[in-house]
Structure formats: C-alpha cells, structure tokens
Amino acid sequence: MMVNTVSIRMSVLSLLCSLGVVSCLQAQDFKFTTTVSNTKVALDEPFQIQFMLENAPNVTSFTPPSFNDFEVLQGPSQMQGQSIMNGHRSEYIALIYVLQPKRVGNFTLTGATARSNGNVVRSNPVTIEVVKGARSLGPQQQQLPQTAIPQSRAQQQQSRQDEMEGVLKNGEDVNAKLKKNIFVKVDVDKTSLYEGQQLTVTYKLYTRLPTNSSVTKVPAFKGFSAKDIELPNPPQATEELVNGIPFKVFIIRKTLLFPLQSGTLELDPVEVDNHVRLVKLVKNNKKAARDPFGDAFNDPFNDPFFDDFFNRPEVSYEDVPYKIQTPPVKINVKPLPVDSRPISFTGAVGKFNMTATVDKQNLSTDDALTLKVVISGQGNVNLLNAPKLDIPSSFEKYDPKVTDNIEKNSNPLSGSRQFEFALMPVEAGDQTIPPVEFSYFDAASNSYKTMRSPAFKVHVTAGKQAKKEKEDFSENKNTITSNFNGQLQWIKDQRFLLVSPWFYILLLLPLVVLIVALFYRRKQDYQQNNAAFLKHRYANKVALKRLELAARYLREGKDKAFYEETSRAVWGYLSNKLHIPFSDLSKQLIQERLSQQQINGENTDQLFELLDNCEMALYTPMHNNDKMQGTYQQAVKVISQLEDELQRAKTVA
C-alpha cells in the first residue's frame, strides 16, 4: 500500500506541473467531474475512474480521494489538450486510475478537490457496487470494460516506446525530434469538382508527444460557402498508422465547402501553436541517468527530496514552443455546362427531389392560396434558390417564405428547403396555375435533371370586396321633377353669401394656393441644392433595409448569425443591382460589372475587404461586439457608397 501511496503522490505532482501551464480560459463554463467506466463491478474486475478539469483557471493544487477500499492497478495517467468548437476555446486536464475492489459491498468515492483561482472546488462523488467474483456471475456479465483491460505485453511495449519519444537524449536535435513526432495535415475528398458541388475538408493534428496545442490561424475559405461539422468537446483521440508508426490523431476542424465560382481556388493553411514538454536526461558523474518514467511511477521515495521531485539532478523538463501549419491546397473548380443548362436551373448541385402543393382549390377573390414547394436531398441545400414560377396575371404573387430543415452534422449535407408562395386571385373563374419546374445538376452523371409538378386547377368565386356596378341611390330616383318658374329661395335671401361658409372658403382659397406653391418651390430648390445629400440618404435607407436582420443579430450578440446575414445581404444586394443570378456570383464577375459602370478603386477594395472580413470572422474563436459594430457600420457605408455610384452611373447613362 505504501508503494501505491507514493505512486499516487508522485503522479499528482506531475499533474500539478501540467496544471501550472493552464491559463485563464474564455467563454466556457468551468467543470470538475468524476466518471467511472462501470458503477457495478465484480470483486476481481478492474474498472476505470477519471477526474476531469475543464476550463479551470489558475489551478494551484489537486487532491484525489482516498482509495482505501480499492487497489490501484494503474495510474494516475494524465491526459490534457485543447479544442475549438463553434468559435469557443476549451482546455481540459484529466487524471485516470484503474482500480480493483478489495471486498464486496457498496462504496462511495468522494470527489477529488482542487484549488482554482483561490477557491476550493470538488468533483461529484460516485458510488460503486461490488458483487462477487466474475465466475459466479452469468456468462453475459463476464466481459470487462475495454478501457479497464490490462495492457498486453505488445501494448505495454508500444506505450513504453511512446513515453520514450518524449525523452530528449544528449546531443539529440530538438527540431528534428519535433518534426518527426508532431505535425498537422489537411485531407480533402476531392481536388477537382464543379461549382456548387460539396468538398469535405478535414484538418488533423498528429502527435506522439505530450503537447498543449491551440489553433492560431484558421482558413478564410475565400470563394467557398462553408458549413462546419460539430466536433466532440473535449476532442477524442483516434489512432492512425503513419509509415507503420502509430500516432494519436485529433481532428481540429471538419468543414463542408461549396465553391461559389470556377477556376483554381486555394485552401489557406491552418496554423497551430504547440507547447511540447520534453524530458531531458542530465549527465550525473556520481550516478548513471535513470529512466524518469520508471522513477516516477515505480520507486518509493522516503527522502526529503520527494516533495521536489522535478528538481532532481538527473532529470529536467523543457517546454518547447513549436509552430506548425498545413501546406496550401489548390482546388480546381470547373464551371457548370452552359449548352445543356435548363431555363429552370437556379444553382442546385447534388441529388434532389421536389414536391409542390396548393392548400386550397376553391376560394374567393377575398382569400389567398399558398403554393408550397419543398426541395429535399443531398447537396448545397443551404444555397438553394426559389424555383422560377410562371404565375398567370389573374394572380398576384408575393415573395416566398423560406424554411430550412438541415440534418445536423450530415455528410454529405442533407436536408430540405421549403418555399411558401402566397398567391392572391384578382379575377373570378376557373384558373390554372402552371406546373412548377425545378432543375439541378447531378455531378455524378455530369448532367442536368429536371422535375415538374402537375398543373393546379383552382376555382375562384367573386368575394364580398368585388367591384360593384355604379348604382343610383338618390331619393325618389324615379320621380319626375316638376318645372319651377318662381323665384328661388337663395335669391330671395340677400344675406346668403355673407353667412355661407362657402364665401369664406372661396375667399381663402387663393391664399392657400399661394402657400402651397411657395412650399413646393422651396422643396424644389432644396432638392436641387441638396441632390447629393438626398441620394446618399436614399442609399442609406437601402443599406439599412438590407441589413435589418443583421442589425437584430448584432443587438442579440449572435456573432455567427450576424456575419452570415451581413455577407448574405451584401451578396444579395450585388446580385439585385448588377442583375447577376445568385448562382453565378463571383468576385471577378462583380469587379467586371462595376468596372463597366466606372466603379472601381477604393469602392471595390472596401467591398471585397468587407466580404473577406465576414468570411474570416465566421471562424474567429472570439466574440467581439466592437468588431461586429464596426463591421455593421462598414457594411452600411459600402452599400451606401455603391448605391450612390450606381445611381450616378445610371444618371450619366
């Protein structure tokens, strides 16, 4: 038991050394949890217990609970790392033991304690039920948890080899050791594809060394629409063989990309900062250097140097900063075929189905019917545009309501987008709504596919608000009026004009006309003298209308939604003003169209800078309200200036 106690103390000291490098964390809740692999175990059955600190700032001490009723078979082993998910940074440190009960009964393991920011925190307690040996249990209960099975000789040898990789021998090149044992890699499922076709990109960290890693630069994905796959937090390591050598692999980021333009596009590199802890064996003349891992976990220490283990003369530790990045990857994006492109194609690429229905077939001119079009399948669902409708003039059509239903973490991206068109009949009678047609490009067969719904027959009756024929509702409309030859009453009353209100109304009428004319003339002069100001104010109204939803996300502090809506508003404005279909938008085409109208230089630079900032901010792992406010003001300014320039160009033309 003394050996186990000493091992625990030594490992706790090792853990404290790791905890000392953890800095104050951002925007995540602190957690201190205890978990076990099984709450009901047999007397001869090992099990695993784990104490995990997540986002713990300034940890200065850690104390595990007492294991009096259990025997420590392995541990403590340490696990630490860092992850970034949905823009939030998280760090964790875990201490893991493998225990085996000494007797039958119910035992409660109290939580471990730690001191964080000067406050003592405690993890949750767990209760373990210990029953008789596995042989007395049924055959279905004899399997041990995989994480608690003692390692085989080959596994122990491999684990030993991995530990020795962290030892820096005398004269060994540090850079060569780091380059061989830790690197990042980007995997793409294809390097040549069509516009709008999905590209899956995975960034991975490979390591055989103990390291604290953080992503310092993320790709902007210029020319792509991006959708991230959510990753587990904390990240889960897998194992891959690289040239026959096993590496622990952590997925840094996994993203679904949809190219928005053709040509050669480049995936920017990801940069990762690592702080690698290496063990240095210091030569000692009195005593040969010993295996530090064997000393730390096997030898009992009863000398006064035990509490200062890391200052032993034959062993020292060195934290080495090491920055790595992925190489840039070039992607060849092919344009979609033009010759066979259907008229009903709006940019959908993948495999889709379409359904179209109307909510009623009999209605009056006072009612409205809803034409619902649902497009579902796999592909760029998040970029689908509304299908083109050929609605007869006997109906008024309104902009559709769009509803998305995207399957979470689907790969390839799957889901549906629903468009609801409100149609208002203006004429009574039997009406026909033509079929809805939808086309998409199937990259697998390199061809366009077209789907058509049936036509919809609708019977429309006249409503209460229908126009009525003019009718004569005057009193005695059929009575013949007799001729009256006498003197009229108003002629008899000589004071009629003086007491009638019409006299004063007619008297004041010229004065009213004069005042209206003066106001009109003043308004004309103001508009002529302030034409530029009025155009700019109108341009600001256009910008604010486009960015109305983005402003709401700004007030609510939803940074990702804000940047997505700002980018969507700017692209939508350009599509509308430059008469470019959304599916054909590209920076090169926009620049050409603006140049045709003599708009270039600072205006286009600010426009593309705004779009790049929005793309970059979507993947920046930090919330900054001031930056969002600046981006919003920049978007208003860019749209306003473009509106001014486009109005000027239109006037000159």
Side-chain angles (χ1 to χ4, degrees), residues 201-204 218-219 221 226 228 231 251-255 619:
V201 183
T202 307
Y203 294 89
K204 299 178 180 179
V218 295
F221 296 133
D228 284 328
L231 301 175
I251 295 180
I252 299 173
R253 185 176 183 183
K254 191 171 185 178
T255 307
Y619 311 106

Side-chain angles (χ1 to χ4, degrees), residues 275-526:
H275 292 275
V276 184
R277 167 151 293 191
L278 297 176
V279 179
K280 296 182 68 176
L281 300 181
V282 181
K283 186 175 181 180
N284 192 325
N285 294 329
K286 296 182 179 180
K287 188 177 181 180
R290 295 176 295 176
D291 181 1
F293 294 96
D295 289 343
F297 296 101
N298 296 325
D299 293 344
F301 290 93
N302 294 316
D303 54 63
F305 297 99
F306 174 78
D307 292 331
D308 194 18
F309 168 75
F310 296 110
N311 291 326
R312 294 179 62 195
E314 68 272 20
V315 176
S316 66
Y317 292 84
E318 181 179 358
D319 289 327
V320 182
Y322 184 50
K323 178 177 288 188
I324 52 180
Q325 69 176 19
T326 60
V329 178
K330 294 187 181 297
I331 305 297
N332 178 35
V333 182
K334 298 176 289 187
L336 296 174
V338 177
D339 297 339
S340 58
R341 181 179 298 180
I343 299 178
S344 57
F345 178 72
T346 58
V349 179
K351 292 185 178 181
F352 297 98
N353 294 313
M354 183 202 69
T355 60
T357 57
V358 293
D359 62 342
K360 55 176 72 82
Q361 294 180 334
N362 295 283
L363 70 161
S364 69
T365 54
D366 297 336
D367 299 328
L369 66 83
T370 299
L371 173 59
K372 183 185 298 183
V373 180
V374 179
I375 301 173
S376 60
Q378 296 179 345
N380 55 350
V381 185
N382 56 332
L383 300 177
L384 291 178
N385 294 314
K388 300 173 183 178
L389 301 183
D390 184 17
I391 302 299
S393 59
S394 56
F395 287 90
E396 292 183 0
K397 184 185 73 171
Y398 298 89
D399 291 338
K401 173 186 175 183
V402 182
T403 305
D404 285 339
N405 183 17
I406 308 296
E407 295 181 14
K408 185 177 180 180
N409 281 3
S410 58
N411 185 17
L413 186 65
S414 304
S416 64
R417 174 166 281 192
Q418 176 177 287
F419 303 92
E420 295 184 25
F421 298 88
L423 305 179
M424 177 72 72
V426 295
E427 296 179 7
D430 291 327
Q431 309 288 348
T432 299
I433 300 176
V436 179
E437 187 173 294
F438 169 74
S439 297
Y440 67 92
F441 181 76
D442 185 0
S445 61
N446 295 333
S447 62
Y448 290 96
K449 308 290 185 182
T450 301
M451 293 172 287
R452 290 171 57 90
S453 71
F456 302 99
K457 302 290 186 179
V458 180
H459 179 68
V460 181
T461 59
K464 295 181 180 179
Q465 302 300 323
K467 296 181 180 179
K468 298 181 179 180
E469 297 294 331
K470 293 183 179 180
E471 298 182 18
D472 186 2
F473 292 101
S474 60
E475 186 177 359
N476 298 324
K477 59 181 179 179
N478 294 321
T479 303
I480 299 177
T481 304
S482 60
N483 292 329
F484 180 73
N485 297 324
Q487 190 176 20
L488 298 177
Q489 183 66 31
W490 68 273
I491 297 178
K492 292 181 180 180
D493 192 350
Q494 300 295 330
R495 299 175 58 195
F496 171 77
L497 290 176
L498 296 178
V499 299
S500 173
W502 285 104
F503 173 77
Y504 297 101
I505 293 174
L506 294 174
L507 185 65
L508 294 174
L509 183 61
L511 180 61
V512 173
V513 172
L514 179 62
I515 293 173
V516 171
L518 288 175
F519 272 105
Y520 179 77
R521 179 60 182 272
R522 179 173 295 181
K523 181 179 179 181
Q524 290 289 101
D525 293 341
Y526 176 80

Side-chain angles (χ1 to χ4, degrees), residues 26 54 122 161 191 255 346 473 528 650:
Q26 309 170 5
E54 296 183 58
R122 182 182 294 274
Q161 183 179 354
T191 57
T255 307
T346 58
F473 292 101
Q528 292 178 359
K650 184 177 180 181

Side-chain angles (χ1 to χ4, degrees), residues 178-183 205-207 211 274 276 322 324:
L178 294 177
K179 185 177 181 180
K180 182 178 69 172
N181 289 286
I182 182 168
F183 58 90
L205 171 67
Y206 292 75
T207 180
T211 177
N274 303 277
V276 184
Y322 184 50
I324 52 180

Side-chain angles (χ1 to χ4, degrees), residues 64-110:
S66 173
F67 299 131
N68 293 334
D69 299 312
F70 302 89
E71 180 181 356
V72 179
L73 299 181
Q74 294 179 12
S77 59
Q78 302 169 32
M79 181 176 66
Q80 68 182 81
Q82 182 181 99
S83 66
I84 296 177
M85 187 173 72
N86 293 334
H88 298 290
R89 180 168 170 260
S90 174
E91 294 187 8
Y92 65 92
I93 295 178
L95 188 68
I96 303 171
Y97 298 85
V98 176
L99 307 178
Q100 183 169 328
K102 296 179 179 179
R103 56 181 178 273
V104 176
N106 289 325
F107 305 98
T108 299
L109 290 171
T110 59

